[in-house]
Amino acid sequence: MMALSTAVWLASAIVLSLISFLALSRTQKNVVLRRLGLGGRNASRPSTPSLEKQASSKPLASSTSDLFATFPPSQRGQLNKMVESMPAAQRQAMGDLSFNPSVFARSLLDFEEDYRTADDSKYCYSGFSVRELKALGDFPDYSALSEVPMPQPYLEFDINRAKPRPYRPFRWAYHQTMSLTKLETDWWIELESTYKQRIAQRKALYAKHGTSVLGWLPGSELACKELMEMVLQFVCARYPQYFSLSADKSQLTNRILGTVSVIKEKHPLLILLDNIPEDFGIMLRNPETGHYHLRAGMVCSALGWSVGTKIGMRLDEIHTPIPDYKEKMQFSMDRFFSKMPAGKPIQRGSWGLEVDQPLFMPPGDPHESYREAQDRTLTRDRIHLRVDWQTLRRLPLSAAVVFNFKALFTPLAEFRDEPYVPSLIKKVLTEGKENLMQYKNTWHTEHVVLPALEEFEREQVDKGLIEKDWEPRTLEDSPWFPGWQKKWHAQQGY
């Protein structure tokens, strides 16, 4: 009798779910089918498209409907594993972990809705319900949720001697691509000896410029909290000699600065401002269109733009100034953001040549005057390579896509003993595509840089560091150069 009752109950549930599904609009049905992995060819094998060679082969209008019906891979499976080791009270707070795709499709949080005051039955587009998000509480195990391992402790690290790894992201042939590679997860947040200086500089920039460097919009509450918690978990694991969380996770002790941050006393981005010399941009999916928009950010290292001028924009609107973006990259980037899994973070680098070390240069900044002419009094010692080393990852709970980067400056003279680097930079500067080089805006330094590179190149040939007839190309170890580890360890002394 019990078996018969159970069968009747199950049959009734299936019929009700089927009726609910049939009542959905065509677009909503597509959302459900894609969520289940049943929509379209090869839907059971979602992949992350390469940005290296993909160009827009469809008009934007046709891709927009695809974006609306596309959700990122959900990490709900990890929650089902984690719940087994949760305390009984937390398991009970989670409620029924079953997932009804039709309910999910019509219960998404609005774009500007704060999950903290939303009904527990609503869903984030990550597939987690508001009830589940609240039950997870503060500082859940993000390595388990994201399937990205925590970093190995870097116990020999010395903040007073540490140098950034010598990133040299030069490529030839030089085309407009994203040049994405798999993130080295131990190096997501990389600290070095300028830590104290940069923290002070960034806090001063925020005090002066306010929302031009740091801001958030409604609906970003979960993503900001999640990002802050992930970053603090990371630095406590990577640099345990310098950072630790209290037993109740309410305070962060920073032994570099000699400070204690009470985490809930400030907005999450302000906690990061006080402790992490890194820039972050938070992109969230608009449920009306499927496009990703910049909804929060802390960017103190921008040249020619600011958070205040970009916040709220779509991904393609942010990249409007970039040559060839619309023609060659927009479709792939939109699709990449819509499908990027939480467990596959990536990294890339961009570079430029600067006079001195400008960190933040909004439109109209006096430092821009250096770019207007080739100063005949300019000397080599004032020229620096600026590398913005960037990472991109999806947060597992909010499903926000976060990019973070930091500006690293290297004196021109460092290239002298770095095999192939002078030849490769010279090739890009002299033969790079005109519109790309205009955007990179290195002309104001080239009258000093090119003679120096030619000198360094001759010395490397004479010393046997490079072949005389070497044809410049992207190095096999890119973004590194041969012997970089020996030089890096020698410079920092460990």
Side-chain angles (χ1 to χ4, degrees):
M1 191 67 179
M2 180 67 71
L4 179 60
S5 299
T6 301
V8 170
W9 181 85
L10 287 173
S12 300
I14 293 170
V15 169
L16 287 173
S17 294
L18 181 59
I19 292 172
S20 298
F21 176 77
L22 293 174
L24 296 175
S25 68
R26 181 176 179 181
T27 301
Q28 289 174 317
K29 290 176 183 175
N30 287 336
V31 170
V32 174
L33 290 173
R34 287 170 185 262
R35 190 70 180 179
L36 289 170
L38 300 175
R41 187 168 52 185
N42 292 332
S44 61
R45 299 174 59 199
S47 62
T48 301
S50 167
L51 299 189
E52 291 294 317
K53 300 178 181 179
Q54 297 259 358
S56 178
S57 59
K58 297 182 180 180
L60 183 59
S62 67
S63 65
T64 300
S65 60
D66 292 339
L67 295 177
F68 175 77
T70 301
F71 291 85
S74 178
Q75 297 298 111
R76 284 191 61 84
Q78 296 305 110
L79 181 60
N80 291 326
K81 297 175 184 177
M82 293 171 61
V83 76
E84 297 174 2
S85 59
M86 289 179 180
Q90 189 177 22
R91 285 202 305 270
Q92 184 177 0
M94 284 283 172
D96 182 4
L97 292 183
S98 62
F99 182 76
N100 187 322
S102 61
V103 172
F104 163 81
R106 61 173 182 265
S107 305
L108 290 173
L109 288 165
D110 294 333
F111 198 29
E112 297 188 351
E113 192 168 6
D114 185 342
Y115 83 104
R116 296 172 299 183
T117 56
D119 189 274
D120 283 357
S121 63
K122 300 199 81 171
Y123 280 83
C124 180
Y125 64 91
S126 61
F128 289 90
S129 72
V130 169
R131 177 173 181 170
E132 292 160 353
L133 294 171
K134 292 176 180 176
L136 278 168
D138 300 329
F139 291 93
D141 185 350
Y142 287 109
S143 64
L145 285 165
S146 66
E147 298 180 273
V148 176
M150 292 296 285
Q152 294 297 309
Y154 194 2
L155 298 180
E156 64 270 33
F157 176 81
D158 183 344
I159 192 65
N160 297 308
R161 295 188 293 160
K163 303 294 181 186
R165 295 188 297 169
Y167 297 98
R168 304 292 184 259
F170 308 115
R171 293 175 285 119
W172 189 263
Y174 184 58
H175 302 298
Q176 188 61 286
T177 67
M178 290 298 290
S179 290
L180 304 178
T181 58
K182 182 180 178 181
L183 174 66
E184 299 170 274
T185 53
D186 280 354
W187 297 93
W188 180 38
I189 306 295
E190 182 175 0
L191 305 183
E192 29 90 15
S193 59
T194 64
Y195 176 88
K196 291 182 180 179
Q197 172 193 346
R198 285 285 182 254
I199 289 289
Q201 189 176 13
R202 292 163 65 84
K203 292 177 73 171
L205 285 169
Y206 178 57
K208 179 179 180 179
H209 296 283
T211 55
S212 289
V213 298
L214 190 154
W216 58 88
L217 296 177
S220 65
E221 294 82 9
L222 174 60
C224 290
K225 173 182 180 289
E226 184 179 15
L227 172 64
M228 179 269 294
E229 292 178 346
M230 288 179 70
V231 171
L232 297 193
Q233 277 189 355
F234 180 94
V235 296
C236 289
R238 182 64 167 162
Y239 309 105
Q241 64 271 50
Y242 294 117
F243 298 95
S244 60
L245 285 167
S246 60
D248 63 358
K249 309 295 177 66
S250 67
Q251 297 182 352
L252 172 74
T253 297
N254 182 328
R255 284 179 282 277
I256 303 173
L257 300 177
T259 59
V260 176
S261 299
V262 180
I263 290 170
K264 292 194 175 180
E265 283 187 352
K266 292 184 176 182
H267 188 277
L269 293 184
L270 296 178
I271 296 294
L272 293 178
L273 177 71
D274 289 344
N275 294 281
I276 308 297
E278 191 97 11
D279 288 340
F280 298 94
I282 297 175
M283 308 289 295
L284 288 168
R285 181 183 183 276
N286 186 336
E288 303 274 328
T289 65
H291 282 281
Y292 281 73
H293 295 244
L294 179 65
R295 299 296 293 176
M298 174 178 69
V299 180
C300 300
S301 308
L303 299 181
W305 65 280
S306 70
V307 167
T309 61
K310 300 289 188 180
I311 197 163
M313 287 187 177
R314 290 194 318 263
L315 183 64
D316 61 295
E317 293 171 333
I318 292 171
H319 290 92
T320 295
I322 297 179
D324 300 336
Y325 182 86
K326 182 176 182 179
E327 296 79 11
K328 295 186 177 181
M329 297 172 65
Q330 180 177 338
F331 176 75
S332 291
M333 283 290 288
D334 285 340
R335 187 171 59 174
F336 179 80
F337 268 60
S338 71
K339 295 183 176 183
M340 182 184 187
K344 294 184 178 180
I346 55 174
Q347 62 186 15
R348 68 177 298 271
S350 63
W351 63 273
L353 296 169
E354 301 293 343
V355 177
D356 301 326
Q357 297 186 35
L359 186 66
F360 179 64
M361 194 169 70
D365 188 275
H367 199 91
E368 282 189 333
S369 62
Y370 284 113
R371 297 170 178 252
E372 297 172 358
Q374 291 187 334
D375 181 359
R376 295 301 167 185
T377 67
L378 185 63
T379 54
R380 288 184 184 181
D381 61 301
R382 294 187 62 193
I383 304 295
H384 293 79
L385 168 72
R386 171 180 165 136
V387 170
D388 290 328
W389 192 247
Q390 307 161 2
T391 73
L392 194 71
R393 69 186 305 167
R394 187 180 296 283
L395 307 187
L397 297 179
S398 65
V401 176
V402 172
F403 66 89
N404 65 287
F405 66 94
K406 66 184 302 179
L408 302 170
F409 294 93
T410 302
L412 176 64
E414 287 293 315
F415 301 151
R416 184 184 293 272
D417 63 354
E418 297 179 355
Y420 306 105
V421 171
S423 303
L424 189 49
I425 304 175
K426 188 182 76 168
K427 185 76 167 181
V428 175
L429 294 180
T430 56
E431 299 183 31
K433 189 176 178 182
E434 184 178 359
N435 66 334
L436 296 182
M437 298 314 298
Q438 286 176 347
Y439 176 75
K440 191 167 284 292
N441 203 356
T442 57
W443 173 80
H444 63 297
T445 67
E446 290 177 11
H447 64 297
V448 176
V449 170
L450 285 172
L453 295 176
E454 290 170 355
E455 177 185 323
F456 299 162
E457 183 181 47
R458 288 194 299 269
E459 289 181 4
Q460 291 189 3
V461 171
D462 292 343
K463 293 178 179 180
L465 292 178
I466 68 171
E467 302 81 6
K468 184 176 182 179
D469 57 351
W470 183 72
E471 187 64 31
R473 61 185 180 276
T474 303
L475 298 178
E476 289 183 8
D477 293 333
S478 181
W480 319 112
F481 55 88
W484 73 271
Q485 289 179 311
K486 181 179 180 180
K487 177 177 181 177
W488 176 57
H489 287 300
Q491 286 183 331
Q492 61 183 9
Y494 64 90

